[in-house]
């Protein structure tokens, strides 16, 4: 099974669990998926655990009886037997994040430029893109993802009785949204204030659109798992 298929199957199995077992198992899922381990083997082990829990559930055995009272402690012990994520996977991750961020940036630039042209306004301000802004967007996207990951990691420190946010369906609370907004505003302010320190390019909306399409195709074929 591919990683995508395993995650889908995991989600399906979780829906068959009792509320208490599901909460407990989601703690395990979050812990596994926020650790620097081989994703393929991690998802395989999660599936095995899900099947074990469902079998035990049919016999009236609860997750805390099967795996132990502390989901975090159980997860920590299990994760130790998994191999670390390969270096190439780590490099790919840190290339993919700014790749996506810049793709979205150029797509937004093209849409805003086309709308401005359609309304008959000037697009000069939208056509001028600072190299410094691109660097800040790339680095800022990585820092933002690291901040969100740290936030998810802190959620695993909660009391086992509490419901942990599912990594597959993150619940964006006010704190998380605040982090997004603050970091984005900081990036925009720095990029605007120091935009002339490095070369500034004039890029027409249609060129930005082509760049964004290339970015989307690159993400699809280079990074997206099937």
């Amino acid at each position: 099974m591919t990683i995508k298929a395993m995650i889908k199957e995991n989600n399906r199995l979780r829906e068959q669990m009792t509320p208490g077992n599901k909460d407990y198992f989601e703690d395990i899922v979050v812990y596994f998926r926020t650790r620097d381990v081989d994703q393929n083997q991690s998802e395989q082990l999660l599936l095995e655990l899900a099947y074990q829990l469902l079998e035990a559930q049919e016999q009236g055995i609860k997750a805390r009886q099967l795996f132990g009272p502390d989901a975090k402690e159980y997860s920590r012990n299990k994760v130790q037997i998994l191999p670390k994520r390969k270096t190439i996977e780590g490099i790919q991750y840190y290339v993919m994040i700014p790749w996506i961020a810049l793709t979205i940036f150029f797509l937004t630039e093209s849409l805003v430029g086309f709308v401005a042209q359609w309304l008959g306004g000037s697009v000069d301000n939208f056509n001028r893109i600072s190299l410094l802004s691109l660097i800040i967007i790339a680095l800022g996207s990585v820092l933002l993802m690291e901040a969100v990951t740290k936030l998810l990691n802190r959620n695993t420190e909660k009391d086992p009785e509490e419901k942990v946010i599912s990594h597959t369906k993150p619940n964006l609370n006010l704190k998380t949204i605040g982090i997004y907004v603050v970091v984005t505003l900081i990036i925009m302010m720095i990029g605007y204030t120091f935009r002339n320190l490095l070369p500034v390019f004039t890029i027409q909306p249609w060129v930005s659109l082509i760049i964004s399409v290339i970015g989307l195709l690159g993400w699809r074929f280079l990074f997206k798992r099937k």
Side-chain angles (χ1 to χ4, degrees):
M1 295 176 68
T2 63
I3 291 177
K4 183 177 181 180
M6 286 190 286
I7 292 176
K8 184 177 181 179
E9 176 66 6
N10 191 302
N11 293 339
R12 186 185 71 82
L13 295 176
R14 293 212 305 269
E15 293 304 317
Q16 301 177 32
M17 299 177 184
T18 62
N21 286 345
K22 184 179 179 182
D23 287 350
Y24 183 101
F25 190 73
E26 285 182 344
D27 288 2
I28 297 177
V29 171
V30 172
Y31 193 95
F32 271 55
R33 292 179 181 170
T34 54
R35 291 306 179 271
D36 187 23
V37 295
D38 182 82
Q39 189 178 9
N40 186 65
Q41 295 196 36
S42 175
E43 292 300 332
Q44 288 180 9
L45 181 53
L46 283 174
L47 271 184
E48 293 175 8
L49 297 177
Y51 284 121
Q52 290 178 23
L53 179 53
L54 284 176
E55 290 178 3
Q57 180 176 290
E58 292 179 355
Q59 303 173 21
I61 301 174
K62 296 181 179 180
R64 299 184 191 285
Q65 296 172 294
L66 180 64
F67 299 131
D70 191 340
K72 179 185 173 184
E73 182 64 25
Y74 177 82
S75 301
R76 184 187 296 115
N77 293 332
K78 282 294 183 179
V79 164
Q80 290 177 356
I81 69 176
L82 294 173
K84 293 292 184 181
R85 180 181 300 169
K86 296 178 182 179
T87 303
I88 186 64
E89 291 182 5
I91 294 175
Q92 187 182 54
Y93 172 80
Y94 287 109
V95 171
M96 180 184 69
I97 297 305
W99 184 294
I100 294 174
L102 291 173
T103 297
I104 294 174
F105 170 79
F106 280 107
L107 180 60
T108 303
E109 283 284 321
S110 66
L111 294 177
V112 172
F114 283 131
V115 170
Q117 287 181 341
W118 181 65
L119 295 176
S122 174
V123 296
D124 291 341
N125 292 332
F126 301 111
N127 290 343
R128 295 176 59 80
I129 300 175
S130 169
L131 177 59
L132 179 61
S133 297
L134 299 181
I135 294 174
I136 291 175
I137 290 171
L139 295 178
S141 64
V142 174
L143 293 176
L144 181 58
M145 288 304 300
E146 289 296 313
V148 173
T149 300
K150 293 294 184 183
L151 180 61
L152 289 175
N153 284 339
R154 283 199 296 272
N155 285 331
T156 64
E157 302 295 330
K158 292 182 178 181
D159 183 79
E161 297 293 337
E162 296 182 17
K163 183 175 182 179
V164 177
I165 298 174
S166 171
H167 186 63
T168 57
K169 296 181 180 180
N171 179 21
L172 295 181
N173 53 32
L174 291 177
K175 185 175 182 179
T176 307
I177 295 174
I179 292 176
Y180 274 102
V181 173
V182 170
V183 173
T184 302
L185 289 176
I186 292 175
I187 292 173
M188 292 175 62
M189 291 174 60
I190 294 176
Y192 180 81
T193 303
F194 301 101
R195 64 187 184 279
N196 294 322
L197 290 180
L198 291 179
V200 177
F201 306 98
T202 299
I203 301 180
Q204 297 298 322
W206 65 269
V207 177
S208 293
L209 180 60
I210 292 176
I211 293 175
S212 64
V213 170
I214 293 174
L216 288 172
L217 293 175
W219 169 75
R220 177 66 177 83
F221 292 106
L222 297 178
F223 302 110
K224 192 173 186 297
R225 294 181 182 272
K226 297 181 181 180

